[in-house]
Amino acid sequence: MLPYHKINNEDIAFFQELLGKENVLHHSSQLYDYAHDETENLLFYPEVVVFPENTHQVSELLKYCNQLLIPVTTRGSGTSLSGGALPVCGGIVLSTRKLNRILKIDAENFQAIVEPGVINYDLQKALESYGLFYPPDPASWQICTIGGNVAHASGGPKAVKYGTTRDYILNLEIVLPNGEILWTGANTLKYSTAYNLTHLLIGSEGTLAVITKIVLKLVPKIPHNILLLFSFESEIDACKAVNDLFLNYVVPSALEFMERDAIEWSIKYNEISNITINEKTNALLLIELENKDKEKLFEEASYVNEILQKYPLATEPLMAETEEEKNTLWKIRRKVGEAVKSHSIYKEEDTVVPRAHLPELLKQVKTIGKKFGFQSVCYGHAGDGNLHVNIIKGNMPDEKWEKELPIAISEIFEVCRNLGGTISGEHGIGWVQKNYLPIVFKPQHFHLFSSIKKAFDPNNILNPNKIIPDKW
Ligand SMILES: Cc1cc2nc3c(=O)[nH]c(=O)nc-3n(C[C@H](O)[C@H](O)[C@H](O)COP(=O)(O)OP(=O)(O)OC[C@H]3O[C@@H](n4cnc5c(N)ncnc54)[C@H](O)[C@@H]3O)c2cc1C
């Protein structure tokens, strides 16, 4: 690794001149909020935090940092769960908080152009009056940015019907470490024009370039939806039921799985008093259906009920029709991660397998848990085969936790690989998962990865020490 330059008063004066004093933080008391993201309890302090307001400023900043060898970690809202936004080599954190304009909503072409710091939820709200919809909606949608979503190739509950962020990005304006500004492709629905740089940038976690503008694809908003909650006696049955729906021609607009502990902890965390979990329940499926015709929606709901009656259900299904009822169920699901976090020290893994193998994945996760003496709480975007496995520390002694956790995680990831899956479906690799990558990639892959990184960022200043493992 190149020796990095330590930021001094002269550098700070340059940043202040370029961005204005109010857009540069460098006092130690101001840096804590940028030293962590939502990845467990990791802390890496930046030396300086900057808030550029336009592409030109980003370009000048990068040019300067590239010449002096100052690491630059781009940050949206810092909700990454893989340590993506942690400045592990110090240097500057480049916050996109002030690059937060919705520049254009082109309703005729079903497109929007936004800056990377736009909050996902704010975009959704802005599109409502146009009858348009941007489907990728991570559970963190009220706080995460579109730029962060692009850089992590994020998913969300709607991915089961509509696909992930990757399916909604048409074109990107990027700034390279040497300050050059480029558009990666075209604002078209089809693209067969040489290497696809847009797709290379999606999921690149701030290691190749800084994304400064994003052209998004939009779809018409389907006006009616309902939410169904099914309680299963067996968690394996709940996983089996997921694929059963598709085999019976049902494509829900969301299909989420939660184990009993996950939902119980979330109900308690959110202080929800009007929903109780029957003692026979071991897992739940939250199923969203949508249709432009209200009657057809209810027909489909009773068809889903018919399909799922073959499984031993713990209670009658619950149907949420009003906005208030739906919001309560979504709150339970969207806040489940925070509920788990508040319960115990934990480690979350973002496993993903072909959907039909979900029951086998869950079975094997439980077997590995028993072998190592870990409790695990699982939930996730079951319709995508994406299971978030939360390994709970509980009362486990620190030494056993630190020594055995990486071995248990490796075994879980090997199961994913053997089932045709991989080690992250939507949270990315960042800092905490990089050393597990050799489970799914060969040295030839890492040669290619390193060559791509070098071509974009020869001085290794952009989010250094991420994605590529220490040994390969
Ligand atoms: C409660 C909770 C629920 C979540 N649910 C989901 C979920 O359902 N689905 C899902 O996929 N994820 C989920 N996440 C993870 C996280 O919210 C997503 O990864 C999100 O996309 C990160 O956005 P952010 O703005 O917080 O990005 P940050 O955390 O700030 O950054 C993430 C990565 O993107 C890079 N980056 C950010 N902006 C840019 C840019 N402009 N140019 C280049 N690189 C950039 C950063 O360097 C970093 O590597 C959840 C997280 C939490 C805490």
Side-chain angles (χ1 to χ4, degrees), residues 37-38 73-81 84-85 96 116 137-140 143-157 205-207 209-212 333-334 337-338 381 388 426-427 463 466:
D37 56 15
E38 289 299 318
T73 303
T74 309
R75 180 183 177 101
S77 295
T79 65
S80 171
L81 295 170
T96 59
D137 62 338
S140 52
I143 43 172
C144 66
T145 64
I146 301 290
N149 300 166
V150 176
H152 264 333
S154 296
E205 303 189 18
T207 62
V210 177
I211 298 161
T212 44
R333 167 58 189 96
R334 287 188 185 274
E338 286 154 74
H381 312 299
H388 299 320
E426 56 177 24
H427 293 168
N463 211 359
K466 301 285 174 69

Side-chain angles (χ1 to χ4, degrees), residues 10-23:
E10 207 181 309
D11 303 321
I12 291 171
F14 172 83
F15 299 143
Q16 289 177 333
E17 173 75 24
L18 178 68
L19 307 172
K21 277 194 174 165
E22 69 285 7
N23 286 328

